[in-house]
Amino acid sequence: MSVFRSLFFLSRSLWLVLALMLALPGPAAAERGEDDGDYQILQASYGTALRHVDVTQRLKELARQDRRFRLVNELFGVDPAPGETKTLRIYTRGRDGDQHVFEYREHGEVDGSQFTGWGGGNWGQGGWQGGWGEGPVRPGASAWGHGNGQNSDDGEYQILQASYGTERHHVDVTPRLKQLARQDRRFKLENNVFGVDPDPGRNKILRIYARGRDGQTRIFDYPEYSHVDGNQFTGWGGGNWGHGGWQGGWGQGAGNDSAYNRGDLRINSARYGVGRQTRDVTDSLQSQMRRDRLDVEVSNRLFGFDPAPGERKSLWISYSVGGGRAQEVRVEERDRVRLP
């Protein structure tokens, strides 16, 4: 009887242990909450296209503290671009293996629920191959979608009208710009894009007239052969803009560098490279100016070095004309930059 009784109690003990093991969450279950997201973070940067810093490690600390936080300079202990609206760009890889970018505007709220391992910090080991502004953005991020109307109001300015040409000869290209915006968020500015050369032999510009959220009007100039990016305009891909309202002429309006064709070009800053592999080339670019003009092909030879061998690089320029407000332009390697 004692043997059967011992076997009976041993059996009960084994069943009790098994029941406890099934009731307690195992490692996989405990981490399931951390892996509910669909995107793994590769890297994170904070700032603007011209001035930004890597904040991956600091983002890990914030993620461990809370799942949501408001985006301000104090969180990262640095202001990489004083006076400018900055963004947090989170570079990720989805479960499908594709890379995506999430962008959060300064003073907005960051929610880590869509990222795997957010609170555990099991991410940020690198692997992002693009630069600051490269890669498709998923819904919920701002400013870099591609013509699908999502997040179409993330920009700061509503387009009123657009013209292409020079001060003496220019044409209205608002309807054509809408078509281009619906196809893609970014395109290279050439005559064949608009199907017209309004002033043959002269360097032309695309001039976009817009109204800011504060009600003030502003002009954005894009030199011929540069790339046009609609991230700062509301409703860009949806085409809900261009209904008129511009009262000035070609070169009149608040925030306009109306001296564009009068010379006095000033290079405020310039960087060349890709991602974190960029170098300051301000002095080098200034030395290339001739009679207040800049007309060069962007290449390693121009600067005398290659900051990222084997990768397609970009040149970011912040410039002003005639003492006007600073403007930014991005030019790809092997493309030509012409200012003004």
Side-chain angles (χ1 to χ4, degrees):
M1 291 292 295
S2 60
V3 174
F4 288 109
R5 183 177 298 174
S6 299
L7 290 173
F8 174 75
F9 283 112
L10 178 60
S11 176
R12 286 188 61 185
S13 299
L14 289 173
W15 277 108
L16 180 60
V17 170
L18 180 60
L20 288 173
M21 290 177 64
L22 292 173
L24 292 173
E31 295 177 359
R32 191 171 294 126
E34 293 292 340
D35 290 325
D36 285 341
D38 290 322
Y39 304 95
Q40 182 185 41
I41 298 176
L42 305 176
Q43 186 180 323
S45 295
Y46 179 64
T48 66
L50 281 174
R51 301 180 183 87
H52 50 271
V53 294
D54 188 295
V55 295
T56 309
Q57 293 306 313
R58 176 55 179 156
L59 187 61
K60 284 189 178 184
E61 297 172 5
L62 294 168
R64 292 190 184 102
Q65 297 170 20
D66 201 354
R67 204 170 189 86
R68 302 170 69 97
F69 61 87
R70 186 162 295 279
L71 185 59
V72 292
N73 289 324
E74 290 75 12
L75 284 175
F76 300 115
V78 63
D79 187 348
E84 298 183 62
T85 300
K86 291 158 283 291
T87 57
L88 170 66
R89 293 182 64 81
I90 299 179
Y91 307 97
T92 71
R93 180 180 292 111
R95 295 185 185 275
D96 57 3
D98 291 336
Q99 294 186 338
H100 309 277
V101 183
F102 289 81
E103 184 172 88
Y104 300 88
R105 192 176 297 275
E106 187 178 5
H107 305 302
E109 190 170 64
V110 179
D111 186 344
S113 60
Q114 55 202 331
F115 306 120
T116 64
W118 175 254
N122 186 27
W123 44 265
Q125 280 80 40
W128 173 249
Q129 303 299 321
W132 167 265
E134 300 172 12
V137 172
R138 304 302 301 173
S142 67
W144 294 85
H146 285 267
N148 55 10
Q150 291 171 332
N151 306 302
S152 60
D153 290 324
D154 288 330
E156 295 292 328
Y157 302 93
Q158 183 183 43
I159 297 175
L160 305 175
Q161 186 179 327
S163 294
Y164 177 65
T166 65
E167 185 172 9
R168 64 178 187 174
H169 297 300
H170 50 272
V171 294
D172 188 303
V173 293
T174 310
R176 175 56 180 156
L177 186 61
K178 283 189 177 186
Q179 295 175 0
L180 294 167
R182 292 190 184 102
Q183 296 170 17
D184 200 353
R185 200 169 192 91
R186 192 164 175 272
F187 62 88
K188 186 176 180 180
L189 183 58
E190 297 177 298
N191 290 324
N192 56 10
V193 167
F194 297 114
V196 63
D197 186 345
D199 199 352
R202 297 282 299 274
N203 290 333
K204 289 158 284 291
I205 61 174
L206 169 65
R207 177 157 285 184
I208 297 179
Y209 307 94
R211 179 180 291 115
R213 295 184 185 274
D214 58 2
Q216 298 296 312
T217 55
R218 179 170 174 178
I219 295 177
F220 294 84
D221 285 340
Y222 296 88
E224 190 176 3
Y225 303 112
S226 67
H227 282 81
V228 179
D229 193 330
N231 68 312
Q232 56 199 332
F233 303 117
T234 64
W236 174 255
N240 186 27
W241 45 264
H243 307 300
W246 175 249
Q247 303 300 322
W250 167 261
Q252 302 170 7
N256 167 44
D257 288 340
S258 58
Y260 193 91
N261 292 311
R262 297 205 307 263
D264 299 326
L265 172 65
R266 174 184 174 86
I267 304 296
N268 302 318
S269 62
R271 298 196 68 83
Y272 177 62
V274 57
R276 287 182 293 175
Q277 297 175 282
T278 64
R279 289 174 58 177
D280 189 296
V281 293
T282 307
D283 292 340
S284 177
L285 209 58
Q286 287 176 337
S287 68
Q288 301 292 330
M289 290 173 54
R290 300 291 183 271
R291 298 180 180 178
D292 286 325
R293 295 175 62 84
L294 180 67
D295 186 352
V296 294
E297 180 180 323
V298 178
S299 65
N300 297 325
R301 184 182 303 176
L302 176 65
F303 303 114
F305 62 87
D306 186 346
E311 297 190 55
R312 182 76 180 272
K313 291 159 281 292
S314 300
L315 171 65
W316 290 271
I317 307 174
S318 172
Y319 70 97
S320 57
V321 184
R325 292 190 180 184
Q327 302 179 73
E328 292 186 1
V329 62
R330 172 182 172 178
V331 185
E332 303 291 342
E333 185 180 6
R334 294 190 294 275
D335 285 346
R336 199 164 193 88
V337 56
R338 291 177 175 172
L339 300 173

